């Protein structure tokens, strides 16, 4: 009985995973968006990055706290600079260096893209009025 339930649960997970996979045109659209977003990000172009955000930007700063902070357009420059200087994982000194290494989306990144939402590193993107926008950031030091 237990193994039958486990098998059923695994089948459902596989079906849900396949159902949520993005279509090829949507994936290509997100990849084109990512290239533009990435270019503005690595240039530290605050105005450029701001153009890809649906303000107010929602920011989560703690895993243990459910509270979030909202960042409006006027606050974004300070937030952006602080975020890029946060310590990062592995061999990267900070988030900026980590993101610079993400020019192309990996297969894992692509698996996190659906037709109307995507998660890349600490960023959550959604389609807003038919355009990709950054809507949520996890501002957690590694």
């Amino acid at each position: 009985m237990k193994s039958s339930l486990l098998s059923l649960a695994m089948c459902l997970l596989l079906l849900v995973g396949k159902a949520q996979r993005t279509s090829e045109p949507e994936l290509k659209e997100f990849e084109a968006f990512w290239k533009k977003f990435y270019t503005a990000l690595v240039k530290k172009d605050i105005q450029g990055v701001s153009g890809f955000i649906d303000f107010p930007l929602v920011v989560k700063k703690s895993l243990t706290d459910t509270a979030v902070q909202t960042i409006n357009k006027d606050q974004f420059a300070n937030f952006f600079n602080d975020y890029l200087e946060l310590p990062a994982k592995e061999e990267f000194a900070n988030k900026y260096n980590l993101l610079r290494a993400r020019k192309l989306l990996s297969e894992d990144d692509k698996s996190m893209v659906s037709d109307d939402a995507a998660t890349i590193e600490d960023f959550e993107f959604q389609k807003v009025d038919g355009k990709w926008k950054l809507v949520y950031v996890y501002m957690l030091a590694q």
Side-chain angles (χ1 to χ4, degrees):
M1 178 73 169
K2 227 180 202 184
S3 64
S4 295
L5 288 175
L6 183 60
S7 295
L8 179 61
M10 293 302 288
C11 288
L12 287 173
L13 284 173
L14 285 171
L15 289 173
V16 168
K18 287 192 180 279
Q20 291 178 344
R21 214 166 260 173
T22 189
S23 64
E24 190 64 27
E26 288 294 332
L27 182 57
K28 294 290 182 198
E29 182 183 335
F30 184 79
E31 286 177 309
F33 163 81
W34 177 258
K35 284 181 183 178
K36 293 175 192 170
F37 179 80
Y38 172 85
T39 299
L41 188 80
V42 297
K43 289 181 179 178
K44 296 185 180 180
D45 176 2
I46 292 169
Q47 288 298 102
V49 173
S50 292
F52 298 113
I53 297 174
D54 185 38
F55 287 102
L57 180 63
V58 179
V59 177
K60 182 166 180 72
K61 290 188 172 184
S62 170
L63 288 175
T64 59
D65 188 357
T66 59
V68 294
Q69 177 183 3
T70 56
I71 304 295
N72 63 38
K73 199 168 189 167
D74 295 337
Q75 300 167 312
F76 181 68
N78 287 334
F79 163 79
F80 182 66
N81 290 322
D82 290 346
Y83 172 80
L84 292 178
E85 291 303 318
L86 282 175
K89 60 186 175 185
E90 299 163 11
E91 72 272 8
F92 302 102
N94 56 31
K95 297 283 187 173
Y96 177 71
N97 289 330
L98 172 68
L99 290 165
R100 282 187 59 203
R102 302 300 299 268
K103 183 174 184 176
L104 299 175
L105 298 176
S106 69
E107 289 305 313
D108 286 343
D109 293 333
K110 291 175 185 179
S111 73
M112 298 301 291
V113 177
S114 70
D115 287 345
D116 60 358
T119 302
I120 308 296
E121 284 298 329
D122 297 337
F123 302 140
E124 288 190 22
F125 302 93
Q126 288 181 357
K127 276 239 178 136
V128 177
D129 298 327
K131 294 182 179 180
W132 285 103
K133 296 285 185 172
L134 176 63
V135 296
Y136 201 98
V137 175
Y138 295 93
M139 190 175 176
L140 310 171
Q142 297 290 317

